[in-house]
Amino acid sequence: NTVDVPKPTDVLCGRGRTCFEHFGNDAFRTLIAENVNRYQTARTKKIKMLVVENIVEKVISRGGRFLMRAKNEGSCNGYQWFDGGKKHGKKKTGDSLRDALRGRIKCISKLIGEGNRNNTLRVRS
């Protein structure tokens, strides 16, 4: 099943402006920033996976999906999407947390800094 128009709660998996500027990805980056310290201080791989699973469940509970680009081009900025499910959601979330720890994502580093200053992070509405 392909998706022509992603919902605002979806996380678009991929590179480029379309994915970066999608509202669901913005909310996802905030979730990553809110949980990066918990992930970093987790003592075991099992506890790290629980942090990852918790983020995935939050996205899904908000009505979101982890969408991947389909090979054929269609609508929505020239793309069609398909649901990667929880399996792909866990992979993307784990990768994003590790990238955030390495400081590889400037906008997440900024969110982490703002969260430390304000002691709270908010999803843009």
Side-chain angles (χ1 to χ4, degrees), residues 79-121:
Y79 300 106
Q80 283 189 317
W81 304 88
F82 68 94
D83 189 351
K86 284 185 181 182
K87 182 178 179 180
H88 193 76
K90 289 177 186 179
K91 181 181 181 336
K92 176 163 181 69
T93 302
D95 290 346
S96 296
L97 285 164
R98 287 186 292 278
D99 286 346
L101 284 174
R102 294 182 189 117
R104 293 179 60 187
I105 308 171
K106 292 179 190 174
C107 58
I108 290 180
S109 299
K110 183 178 175 186
L111 283 171
I112 292 168
E114 288 173 2
N116 289 338
R117 251 192 332 272
N118 300 337
N119 208 16
T120 169
L121 292 170

Side-chain angles (χ1 to χ4, degrees), residues 1 17 23 25 38 66 68 78:
N1 277 344
R17 177 175 271 171
F23 186 83
N25 288 53
R38 191 174 338 169
F66 290 88
M68 302 171 63

